[in-house]
Amino acid sequence: MLTSQAVIFSKHGDPSEVLKNHSYEIDDSNVESDSIIVKTLGAPINPSDINQVQGVYPSQPEKTTILGTEEPSAVGGNEGLFEVLKVGSNVKNFKVGDWCIPSQVNFGTWRTHALCKEEDMTPLPNPEQSKANGKPNGLTINQGATISINPLTAYLMLNHYVKLQPGKDWFIQNGGNSAVGKYAIQIAKIQGYNSLSVVRNRDNLDQLVKELKDLGATQVITDEDNNLKEFGATVKSWVKDTSGEIKLALNCVGGKSSAAVARKLNPNGLMLTYGGMSKQPVTLPTSLHIFKNITSAGFWVTALTKNDFNLKRSTLDKVVQWYEEGLLKDAPSVESKFTGEKQLNQLFIDGIENSKNGKQLITF
Ligand code: NDP
């Protein structure tokens, strides 16, 4: 028997009150033919995971007593990297030692081990396999554990809706220094698209601009610049120099900032809203709708990839390849290892509280 420890919730609310520990046994001497047992290598804490526990996120895991809890409960967490420990006799896609991530959200990744069907997991190459395939780099635990949300969001927003012409066209984004924003900058660079990233002003702005330019940003400006009418001419001259258009705006802020990025779009441009960091409604001037035919749409990676698994797999393959080739840098996480010294639920509760200091990754 293998003992798994999981961080569960049976009701919604403040994570420090509702997240509990639960230990349960997995019979590792008797694995069903189509099942696998996996060990968790790392699981991040994303804003959506916290919102799920609080009960304010539209996608929710089913609460059941399948793990032997007294009340119907769900295991927290949606993203995570796992290593295969055991495989059933009929399992086709996995062998012991392989790495994998959940095929869908709501798997419940905040646990030490899991027993699941093979189709519940999607394979990723482990470092030995990458090396054997002649790749210069293998995935790190952080890259594997955080691959399915932020990098996929950036890639799909840049490629799934509007055809940007390499070397010519541009996209504009607010929250340019967000994790998604940094992936968007790098992926655009790899694909030859120009990026215009808007960030909030700060004392060390030069340092931030340098960091984003080192990642491949074409231009980085502040909110103040973006709000200035006169600055529009500078942006127009940049775009004219590449003989392209700003066809796409990525909005994770909302409010005044969404209006300011939408104003930079060329006629018939598209603004995709994927986050609401300012907690303000998306604002889009009426004249942009009417006279420039600007479209505003939402983007939710969960819904898009749930309905189209092939799209998820092919996008994962691209991101893995870029990591292996050293073309893409991951967003660093603050890592805390589960050693048993601190209870597992406390490790996640502390991680949630520390989330304002950067993405938290619990490793095992
Ligand atoms: P990060 O925590 O890495 O970045 C947050 C960004 O928001 C920073 O650029 C920060 O800028 C900015 N920001 C924070 N508060 C404000 C504010 N009040 N006004 C303006 N800007 C602000 O976040 P992620 O990249 O992980 O996620 C960004 C957003 O995207 C989140 O809302 C997340 O939930 C969402 N998301 C949505 C997905 C989808 O499918 N729809 C998928 C992935 C993420 P500063 O440094 O100036 O504070």
Side-chain angles (χ1 to χ4, degrees):
M1 284 288 180
L2 185 84
T3 305
S4 175
Q5 294 190 56
V7 180
I8 58 161
F9 57 99
S10 57
K11 52 182 187 295
H12 298 286
D14 180 343
S16 66
E17 286 165 21
V18 300
L19 287 179
K20 308 283 180 209
N21 279 312
H22 176 67
S23 286
Y24 62 99
E25 302 292 314
I26 296 174
D27 185 356
D28 58 347
S29 59
N30 207 5
V31 186
E32 279 182 22
S33 60
D34 60 350
S35 297
I36 59 177
I37 297 178
V38 294
K39 166 189 180 313
T40 317
L41 298 175
I45 299 173
N46 287 314
S48 50
D49 301 326
I50 304 172
N51 295 154
Q52 225 172 32
V53 176
Q54 291 164 331
V56 295
Y57 197 68
S59 161
Q60 286 291 339
E62 192 187 351
K63 296 190 190 70
T64 70
T65 53
I66 205 163
L67 300 181
T69 51
E70 274 176 27
E71 290 179 82
S73 306
V75 179
N78 291 275
E79 267 195 312
L81 178 67
F82 298 84
E83 182 183 328
V84 176
L85 286 187
K86 288 231 161 179
V87 297
S89 57
N90 234 347
V91 165
K92 305 269 183 301
N93 293 320
F94 293 102
K95 58 186 186 321
V96 172
D98 282 353
W99 280 13
C100 52
I101 56 172
S103 302
Q104 294 291 351
V105 291
N106 297 332
F107 180 81
T109 54
W110 296 354
R111 53 173 132 187
T112 58
H113 302 85
L115 167 67
C116 58
K117 301 285 180 205
E118 77 167 312
E119 70 259 23
D120 293 335
M121 287 287 169
T122 297
L124 287 185
N126 68 26
E128 292 79 49
Q129 290 161 345
S130 297
K131 203 172 159 198
N133 285 332
K135 304 290 182 183
N137 301 291
L139 292 180
T140 64
I141 290 181
N142 186 52
Q143 287 169 345
T146 60
I147 202 167
S148 56
I149 299 184
N150 287 348
L152 262 58
T153 295
Y155 178 86
L156 290 168
M157 289 195 298
L158 286 176
N159 288 283
H160 196 64
Y161 300 88
V162 166
K163 182 87 201 92
L164 298 174
Q165 284 197 57
K168 287 185 159 190
D169 286 335
W170 292 66
F171 79 96
I172 181 168
Q173 62 173 347
N174 53 25
N177 62 324
S178 67
V180 173
K182 287 180 186 170
Y183 283 113
I185 286 171
Q186 296 182 78
I187 291 171
K189 170 81 179 169
I190 295 169
Q191 299 190 289
Y193 311 145
N194 294 297
S195 60
L196 173 52
S197 293
V198 184
V199 298
R200 293 199 288 183
N201 209 345
R202 64 201 66 220
D203 290 343
N204 60 350
L205 180 69
D206 290 349
Q207 208 179 313
L208 177 62
V209 172
K210 181 176 181 317
E211 186 199 337
L212 298 184
K213 289 215 163 164
D214 287 348
L215 287 177
T218 318
Q219 296 291 351
V220 181
I221 63 174
T222 63
D223 263 334
E224 283 88 351
D225 294 335
N226 201 32
N227 288 331
L228 269 182
K229 213 170 172 200
E230 307 80 73
F231 200 79
T234 308
V235 172
K236 276 200 175 125
S237 73
W238 290 335
V239 177
K240 194 164 170 240
D241 282 349
T242 66
S243 311
E245 290 184 8
I246 306 185
K247 289 187 174 156
L248 179 68
L250 309 181
N251 167 39
C252 74
V253 176
K256 213 174 144 188
S257 176
S258 53
V261 293
R263 275 199 184 93
K264 299 292 176 303
L265 283 168
N266 278 83
N268 306 313
L270 169 71
M271 178 167 75
L272 287 174
T273 294
Y274 69 100
M277 295 305 302
S278 71
K279 299 197 164 68
Q280 300 297 314
V282 176
T283 311
L284 194 59
T286 307
S287 60
L288 287 187
H289 263 320
I290 300 175
F291 303 119
K292 286 177 77 183
N293 193 30
I294 299 300
T295 305
S296 167
F299 175 88
W300 191 21
V301 71
T302 303
L304 182 64
T305 54
K306 188 175 175 189
N307 297 329
D308 190 346
F309 186 74
N310 288 338
L311 180 67
K312 180 171 180 176
R313 183 68 254 184
S314 61
T315 310
L316 277 172
D317 289 343
K318 281 198 181 71
V319 174
V320 166
Q321 189 192 334
W322 289 332
Y323 275 142
E324 288 180 326
E325 288 169 358
L327 294 173
L328 191 65
K329 279 193 188 141
D330 50 340
S333 300
V334 181
E335 295 188 17
S336 307
K337 195 169 173 63
F338 176 55
T339 58
E341 204 175 301
K342 209 185 251 187
Q343 294 255 315
L344 191 57
N345 68 335
Q346 197 54 50
L347 204 56
F348 277 93
I349 290 166
D350 292 349
I352 290 169
E353 271 160 24
N354 290 335
S355 283
K356 51 188 169 307
N357 303 322
K359 167 102 48 224
Q360 306 287 309
L361 178 77
I362 309 301
T363 57
F364 293 84

